[in-house]
Amino acid sequence: MTSQNKDLPGGESKVSESNPRGSLSRSATVDHLMKESEPSRLSAILVKWPCAVIGVVLSIGILCTIITFATVELSSDSSRAYLVWSDYRIQRFDAYILAMEEYDEKNKTGDEDLQSEEISGWLIWLVYEEKKGNLLTKASVDAIRQFEQGLSELKNYDRVCYRAIDQSSTAADSRQCNVSSHSAVSSFTPSASEQLLQTEVTALVEDESAFRKVKSRFDKDFDTNNKTADWLRTQVKFGAPIIDSDGKRYRYYLDDEEPQDDFMEEFALDAADYAEDYSNDNFKVYYWNKLWYDKKQNELVLQDFAFIGLSIAFVLFYMMVHTRSIIVPIIGMIQVALAFPVAYCIYRFIFQVTFFNMMSLLSVFVILGIAADDMFVYVDTWKQSAEHEVLLANLERRSIWTYRKAAHAMFVTTFTTFCAFMATGISSIMPIAAFGIFSGCYVVCNYLFVITNFPAVIVLREKFNVWREKQRQSSGMKKQYDAKTSSPSPQNGVIPSSRESEEEKDQDIEADNREKPSSEGMHVRNPKRSQTAIRAKEMSKADRFFYTTYSHKLRQGRLFVIGFFVVWLILAIVFTAQLSPPSEAEQFIPEDHELRETTEAMDKNFSKGENDGAQITLIIWGLDGVSRDGVDRWDPKDRGELEWDNSFDMSPPENQQKMSEFCDYLKTIQDSELVQDADSVTCFLDSFKSYLTSKGIPFPVPQTEFLSRLQEYINNPTESGSDQEVSNKRIGMIQGRLRYIIFKAVGGERERASGMEPRHDDWEDIIDNWSDTAPTGINKPFQTSDFWLWMVSERALVANAIEGIAIAGTISFFVLVISTLNIILSVYATFCIVGIIVSVMAMMYFLGWDFGTAESIAVVILIGFSVDYVVHLCHAYMEGHKGDRTNRTRDALAKMGFSIIGGAITTFGDGCMLFFCTYLFFLKFAWIVTSTIFFALIWALLFLPAVMFTIGPQDDTGNVKVYARRVYSWYKDRQEQRSSKN
């Protein structure tokens, strides 16, 4: 096979000593090889002290491993981590959360009633299904009551249940646990007869006001025309602060939430087991709780991560097959593993990134393929060095020639992949930015290990083979050692070369060594094909396939290939344009999995209520946003510092009246997407005015009495009905000062960003219009909703992907220009990269995916993978014979075709292991990796060579150096002309 040549000044090129087609003599070729393999300090270290090099590299890896184990901590994937923290809508919501924390911090003394604060994250949903039909029968209703009674008797229920105030009680401690307060069957008389039950069902559904309050507990089909229900549901509330099993009493929930969550989690797991045991063939209880769900999901993720072992095993197996060695692939896998902690140390202590989640661990799947590709490039280049006798005669020269060729080729792909990953470091969605930065560090560390540890391993193995051969010779066990055949033979432990017979070689190149008829009808030998045959005989069987058969067939059908890919690209662009962002936080659990059964049942069979998907809009007075000075970008819990609206003052009577009128106005809004109905609006002023009326006090109260009357209302929840307002912290009385007020409105269900933005804008208009006429002190409210949070992230996912493509694509183009020194070839390569990216994104459309987190990350991976194979081929093309595009393309395919195939097989197989996973993110990742490799392979080995065969640059066409010289000559001529005129 030809050596990897470089163009010489003056337009000449150097070729292998076995190829008579070059313009230089054999001595010139040898001189060129001697120059390229000039020993250096690095080569001396690699050849003389390979064990020392391996020891130093492994020591660094082991040290970083110890540091990593001592410092690494998986970050929790909170929903806030995926929000765009700089957006004003997120900052408004953060201000609301910080106000709640401030309320607890300043108001909670530790003497609060136990479990008096409802914790939404502890809520348990119970969904009942009667397989045979109607649940509204005496037997089914009794079964539901029996189950819920049993739930309240589980261990520690009384320690975590929400103790709401019983308005009918006159006892000093009127807070009671009531598991059935929001039960699906709470509207019916216990132990009622079948006849009485049906009478109560009819009365409920026909009482519009009463039914509206409990409608969300019955399935969508339950109405006056259908008085049966196949589905019912109950929500069970829980509260803090608690006393745990050890007798520790917590002050309030946010004072120490983690141990309280852990205590509740134990109960939630017991309750889930109880629900599973209670279900039977006819009666099914579906269960859902966030703490239970998160724990089970983490267990599922860890279970799926076991497939990393399968990926490593597959890559290791194929490398053994490819190299016919055991030691070299094992050491290669060890260095991939050690590169991980080194990358983590750089990521954590140099880049100062503290966020590290499961997503970052996925980079292992990516790097496995890249590492295998790099090692294939190195060992295949080592194999090519065996074709030059001058290199075989000197191990140091052979090592440095291989090192320079392989390291340069790997650097180009590593740098472009690094840039592709680091381009996501600017992502406004923090986990994606963290993933990109860590993966970029990992790619670089892998490259450094491949160009330091791996060459030393190859040299050490070669020295061992030489020593072993000498031992065999001295013992008379083998024939004399032939240095030229030892390197590619199985005895060298790296890459064997198939030793086919001369007849086999002749058969493989027969198509390129035929006679062709002349114009006179005589058959003459084609001299170029004769030279091709001579050249092909020097190659391995795999390289000869790409040089002869593959190149011959592809060149014949190149126009068809180009046309097919162009048509496909147009269609793929059309399909890609139809991708849209997800409408809500992504679900990574399959629909038929037990973790999704309850949510799917609720989504399909029930109308949305306040706690299960309906929009809750909060109108807030008294807050002015947050200050993000000094905020840790990598900490989702760091929301910044709350800023108060110090001008807020509700005490003037006109302000009280204005806010009361606004509350009444909200109840009249007819748009159900904004407000479901009048009962969906909650304002403390309703119960506050009722309380004042019961005391004979007119509303509005005088300004001087407002705070004292409000404090009375808050302090007497049983009498005033303020319990829900106080429990949910909607009256911000902090240390005797009213800091904020919150009104609440329940609206429609979640939609995609395109549907949510008009709803957001309508609320903004409502607030702005009211604020324009509001008196000073209450004229700076804002509205916020958790629905707006993901709406912003939806848009950011698409925007970040486009930014990543633009940045990484631009960098890739310039790297290609610098690497190949040819603008035309760089344009072709960039076109291929675009084709690969669009092809995979079109595949996402066909699979019915939204453009979410996994897809956004995929775009980054796409750029990294799509660049590798294309760059390898372009680099080999430019090192081929100058002037002839056909032979340059054949040389490039012969040099890199087998290496590209090897890298593709390992990465493809690595990705295939993820198809065994259950977690949908991993399944998506499997599709992304395998489809990326597939499209990268066919674009690199079909389209790009077809273009090279047809319009590949020849001679100095597109040569950057030539253009630079022309520009410089033109500049000098202009200068000389000006000088002569002067």
Side-chain angles (χ1 to χ4, degrees):
M1 184 173 182
T2 182
S3 65
Q4 301 180 24
N5 306 307
K6 292 186 177 180
D7 292 339
L8 291 176
E12 296 176 324
S13 64
K14 294 184 178 180
V15 297
S16 68
E17 56 265 51
S18 62
N19 191 352
R21 194 175 27 168
S23 58
L24 296 180
S25 65
R26 177 181 175 85
S27 61
T29 303
V30 172
D31 291 342
H32 181 54
L33 288 170
M34 295 293 286
K35 184 177 180 180
E36 285 186 329
S37 60
E38 189 68 32
S40 64
R41 183 176 300 176
L42 176 61
S43 65
I45 294 174
L46 288 174
V47 174
K48 294 180 181 178
W49 298 291
C51 292
V53 173
I54 295 171
V56 170
V57 173
L58 294 182
S59 297
I60 293 173
I62 293 171
L63 176 62
C64 289
T65 301
I66 296 171
I67 295 173
T68 299
F69 274 109
T71 59
V72 70
E73 183 177 350
L74 280 180
S75 305
S76 60
D77 267 332
S78 64
S79 57
R80 187 178 181 275
Y82 293 87
L83 302 180
V84 183
W85 302 342
S86 60
D87 188 88
Y88 74 92
R89 287 157 288 202
I90 281 72
Q91 293 187 10
R92 285 179 176 178
F93 195 82
D94 283 346
Y96 159 69
I97 297 298
L98 290 172
M100 301 299 100
E101 294 176 357
E102 182 81 359
Y103 181 95
D104 282 340
E105 181 67 28
K106 297 295 175 63
N107 284 355
K108 304 293 186 180
T109 63
D111 297 327
E112 285 71 30
D113 293 334
L114 286 172
Q115 299 144 249
S116 59
E117 179 185 351
E118 179 186 340
I119 308 301
S120 60
W122 291 4
L123 183 72
I124 287 178
W125 280 105
L126 302 168
V127 178
Y128 307 105
E129 179 191 16
E130 175 58 60
K131 300 295 181 66
K132 293 183 178 180
N134 186 23
L135 275 167
L136 296 178
T137 63
K138 176 176 172 53
S140 295
V141 169
D142 288 346
I144 292 173
R145 279 207 174 93
Q146 182 182 354
F147 170 78
E148 292 176 357
Q149 180 61 34
L151 180 68
S152 67
E153 295 171 357
L154 290 178
K155 181 182 177 181
N156 292 327
Y157 170 78
D158 59 331
R159 292 178 181 268
V160 293
C161 62
Y162 171 56
R163 297 182 180 273
I165 289 181
D166 184 356
Q167 299 292 342
S168 63
S169 174
T170 58
D173 182 10
S174 60
R175 291 190 177 275
Q176 301 294 329
C177 291
N178 188 354
V179 71
S180 61
S181 61
H182 291 78
S183 170
V185 296
S186 61
S187 301
F188 311 124
T189 303
S191 303
S193 64
E194 189 73 50
Q195 183 178 359
L196 177 58
L197 176 62
Q198 298 309 316
T199 300
E200 290 180 342
V201 169
T202 301
L204 174 65
V205 76
E206 292 179 352
D207 185 343
E208 184 177 346
S209 177
F211 181 57
R212 185 165 55 241
K213 295 178 181 179
V214 297
K215 181 179 179 180
S216 63
R217 304 176 192 177
F218 298 81
D219 64 41
K220 294 178 180 179
D221 297 330
F222 181 68
D223 56 24
T224 54
N225 298 318
N226 177 33
K227 297 173 184 176
T228 63
D230 296 335
W231 297 83
L232 295 174
R233 65 177 174 178
T234 291
Q235 55 174 284
V236 185
K237 297 184 177 182
F238 297 87
I242 65 171
I243 295 179
D244 64 21
S245 299
D246 297 328
K248 180 177 179 180
R249 189 193 196 286
Y250 296 91
R251 295 174 59 217
Y252 54 92
Y253 177 62
L254 292 179
D255 175 48
D256 202 355
E257 57 185 297
E258 186 172 343
Q260 295 183 79
D261 281 341
D262 291 341
F263 189 78
M264 176 61 198
E265 182 184 278
E266 291 182 16
F267 175 81
L269 293 171
D270 290 341
D273 292 339
Y274 171 61
E276 184 178 359
D277 293 340
Y278 196 86
S279 299
N280 55 53
D281 293 339
N282 298 323
F283 182 80
K284 172 74 173 177
V285 181
Y286 297 91
Y287 175 93
W288 191 90
N289 167 267
K290 186 178 185 303
L291 298 174
W292 165 83
Y293 180 90
D294 289 345
K295 182 175 181 60
K296 293 295 184 180
Q297 179 176 251
N298 289 338
E299 291 175 355
L300 181 61
V301 170
L302 290 175
Q303 173 186 319
D304 283 351
F305 258 97
F307 290 106
I308 289 181
L310 281 180
S311 296
I312 294 174
F314 174 82
V315 174
L316 183 63
F317 171 76
Y318 183 77
M319 288 186 66
M320 289 178 178
V321 173
H322 187 94
T323 63
R324 294 192 185 179
S325 170
I326 296 177
I327 300 299
V328 171
I330 289 176
I331 293 189
M333 288 297 99
I334 291 174
Q335 71 185 26
V336 171
L338 291 178
F340 184 93
V342 175
Y344 176 80
C345 290
I346 296 172
Y347 168 83
R348 176 65 182 85
F349 300 108
I350 296 180
F351 284 94
Q352 295 290 303
V353 182
T354 56
F355 185 85
F356 189 79
N357 67 345
M358 288 289 187
M359 188 188 301
S360 299
L361 295 178
L362 281 177
S363 57
V364 173
F365 291 95
V366 179
I367 303 305
L368 273 175
I370 294 175
D373 179 54
D374 287 346
M375 286 184 276
F376 288 156
V377 169
Y378 195 91
V379 294
D380 286 350
T381 306
W382 177 265
K383 172 186 172 182
Q384 292 166 20
S385 67
E387 298 171 10
H388 307 289
E389 294 180 3
V390 66
L391 298 179
L392 277 171
N394 187 302
L395 179 60
E396 186 172 355
R397 287 188 175 277
R398 183 182 183 188
S399 299
I400 197 60
W401 184 90
T402 301
Y403 185 90
R404 285 172 176 166
K405 294 291 184 181
H408 177 67
M410 290 186 293
F411 174 78
V412 175
T413 57
T414 298
F415 185 73
T416 50
T417 306
F418 168 77
C419 291
F421 282 127
M422 295 302 289
T424 61
I426 64 171
S427 173
S428 54
I429 298 178
M430 185 271 289
I432 295 179
F435 172 83
I437 293 173
F438 178 76
S439 298
C441 294
Y442 200 176
V443 167
V444 171
C445 290
N446 170 71
Y447 173 74
L448 294 176
F449 272 61
V450 172
I451 64 171
T452 53
N453 185 70
F454 200 67
V457 171
I458 299 298
V459 170
L460 188 63
R461 180 64 179 174
E462 185 69 13
K463 285 187 172 184
F464 172 76
N465 287 330
V466 172
W467 173 85
R468 184 176 61 180
E469 187 63 23
K470 288 182 179 180
Q471 294 297 314
R472 287 176 175 175
Q473 290 179 12
S474 62
S475 62
M477 295 175 61
K478 197 181 177 193
K479 295 185 293 183
Q480 187 175 359
Y481 180 71
D482 183 352
K484 184 172 182 179
T485 61
S486 67
S487 297
S489 68
Q491 285 77 15
N492 79 341
V494 182
I495 290 287
S497 176
S498 297
R499 294 300 171 189
E500 311 101 318
S501 65
E502 291 300 315
E503 291 79 5
E504 289 176 317
K505 293 183 180 181
D506 290 339
Q507 291 172 5
D508 287 339
I509 62 175
E510 183 180 354
D512 288 291
N513 193 25
R514 299 180 184 135
E515 291 182 344
K516 57 185 292 187
S518 66
S519 56
E520 291 82 11
M522 297 177 62
H523 286 78
V524 296
R525 179 73 63 179
N526 182 353
K528 287 188 177 181
R529 292 194 175 182
S530 297
Q531 294 161 4
T532 297
I534 295 173
R535 176 167 169 68
K537 272 196 172 185
E538 301 295 324
M539 299 178 182
S540 68
K541 189 172 184 179
D543 295 342
R544 187 163 64 250
F545 166 76
F546 279 104
Y547 190 76
T548 56
T549 306
Y550 184 82
S551 295
H552 178 70
K553 297 295 184 183
L554 182 59
R555 188 168 181 271
Q556 283 184 330
R558 62 188 183 278
L559 296 181
F560 172 79
V561 170
I562 293 172
F564 174 83
F565 274 84
V566 170
V567 172
W568 161 247
L569 180 60
I570 295 172
L571 293 174
I573 291 173
V574 173
F575 297 136
T576 299
Q578 299 181 56
L579 281 173
S580 59
S583 60
E584 56 187 8
E586 295 175 83
Q587 295 287 346
F588 293 120
I589 305 295
E591 288 187 13
D592 57 351
H593 194 276
E594 61 171 339
L595 293 181
R596 284 279 300 279
E597 284 182 336
T598 306
T599 54
E600 290 299 312
M602 290 197 294
D603 288 342
K604 294 176 181 177
N605 300 293
F606 295 91
S607 300
K608 295 296 184 182
E610 179 178 333
N611 291 317
D612 67 322
Q615 178 184 353
I616 298 177
T617 304
L618 304 175
I619 300 95
I620 305 176
W621 289 263
L623 308 183
D624 198 32
V626 294
S627 171
R628 296 196 176 265
D629 295 340
V631 168
D632 184 355
R633 181 192 176 192
W634 308 107
D635 184 5
K637 296 181 180 179
D638 191 353
R639 300 176 186 272
E641 184 177 347
L642 176 64
E643 295 183 337
W644 297 101
D645 175 13
N646 292 317
S647 67
F648 171 62
D649 185 6
M650 187 183 170
S651 61
E654 61 271 22
N655 290 9
Q656 299 173 46
Q657 186 63 41
K658 186 70 174 179
M659 290 185 68
S660 178
E661 293 172 357
F662 183 59
C663 179
D664 293 337
Y665 164 72
L666 293 177
K667 296 176 182 178
T668 64
I669 294 176
Q670 299 298 313
D671 188 345
S672 62
E673 295 297 320
L674 302 180
V675 178
Q676 289 184 0
D677 50 47
D679 292 338
S680 300
V681 176
T682 304
C683 311
F684 87 96
L685 286 171
D686 291 336
S687 56
F688 181 56
K689 288 190 291 184
S690 298
Y691 173 71
L692 293 175
T693 301
S694 68
K695 295 291 186 180
I697 303 171
F699 178 85
V701 299
Q703 182 172 356
T704 55
E705 299 179 16
F706 176 74
L707 286 181
S708 61
R709 295 298 183 187
L710 184 61
Q711 194 67 61
E712 289 177 16
Y713 164 79
I714 293 172
N715 293 340
N716 296 281
T718 304
E719 184 180 358
S720 67
S722 64
D723 182 51
Q724 286 297 314
E725 298 295 336
V726 174
S727 175
N728 290 287
K729 308 168 199 171
R730 292 196 283 264
I731 305 175
M733 186 72 79
I734 300 177
Q735 295 181 332
R737 180 179 178 182
L738 184 61
R739 299 308 307 255
Y740 68 85
I741 288 294
I742 299 175
F743 289 176
K744 183 182 76 171
V746 181
E749 298 182 18
R750 188 187 300 274
E751 298 179 19
R752 292 186 179 276
S754 57
M756 295 300 297
E757 287 179 355
R759 197 185 303 181
H760 168 270
D761 294 341
D762 288 342
W763 270 115
E764 287 289 285
D765 291 341
I766 290 171
I767 301 301
D768 291 343
N769 293 336
W770 184 84
S771 300
D772 291 341
T773 60
T776 301
I778 57 170
N779 60 344
K780 295 181 181 179
F782 63 77
Q783 61 85 22
T784 186
S785 172
D786 62 340
F787 273 37
W788 312 148
L789 310 183
W790 190 252
M791 178 185 74
V792 178
S793 295
E794 290 178 39
R795 296 302 187 196
L797 288 171
V798 178
N800 291 162
I802 295 173
E803 289 175 3
I805 291 174
I807 294 172
T810 302
I811 292 174
S812 297
F813 173 76
F814 284 108
V815 169
L816 283 164
V817 171
I818 294 171
S819 172
T820 63
L821 294 177
N822 193 287
I823 293 177
I824 294 176
L825 199 60
S826 299
V827 171
Y828 297 162
T830 304
F831 185 85
C832 281
I833 293 170
V834 172
I836 297 166
I837 293 172
V838 173
S839 297
V840 178
M841 294 181 74
M843 182 275 301
M844 295 177 189
Y845 170 77
F846 284 122
L847 290 174
W849 295 359
D850 293 322
F851 195 82
T853 305
E855 293 78 10
S856 184
I857 294 173
V859 171
V860 181
I861 298 172
L862 283 176
I863 298 172
F865 278 152
S866 60
V867 164
D868 280 7
Y869 305 151
V870 170
V871 168
H872 281 319
L873 210 58
C874 290
H875 184 260
Y877 181 90
M878 292 310 300
E879 287 197 338
H881 301 287
K882 191 174 182 64
D884 188 341
R885 67 167 63 99
T886 298
N887 283 296
R888 273 187 164 184
T889 306
R890 293 162 71 108
D891 282 348
L893 287 170
K895 287 180 183 178
M896 299 309 305
F898 192 50
S899 296
I900 289 174
I901 291 290
I905 290 175
T906 53
T907 311
F908 188 87
D910 174 32
C912 283
M913 298 300 106
L914 291 177
F915 281 116
F916 296 102
C917 295
T918 303
Y919 200 55
L920 290 182
F921 187 90
F922 296 160
L923 286 176
K924 282 190 173 184
F925 208 77
W927 277 107
I928 289 165
V929 171
T930 53
S931 61
T932 300
I933 294 303
F934 171 75
F935 285 113
L937 193 63
I938 63 173
W939 277 86
L941 291 184
L942 287 175
F943 177 78
L944 184 58
V947 171
M948 289 174 171
F949 274 129
T950 308
I951 50 175
Q954 299 189 112
D955 299 317
D956 292 328
T957 305
N959 192 304
V960 174
K961 287 183 177 180
V962 172
Y963 291 159
R965 285 197 294 266
R966 290 175 182 174
V967 171
Y968 180 69
S969 299
W970 173 82
Y971 175 76
K972 285 189 65 177
D973 291 341
R974 291 292 301 272
Q975 291 293 100
E976 291 175 359
Q977 291 175 6
R978 290 177 181 177
S979 299
S980 62
K981 289 181 180 179
N982 294 334

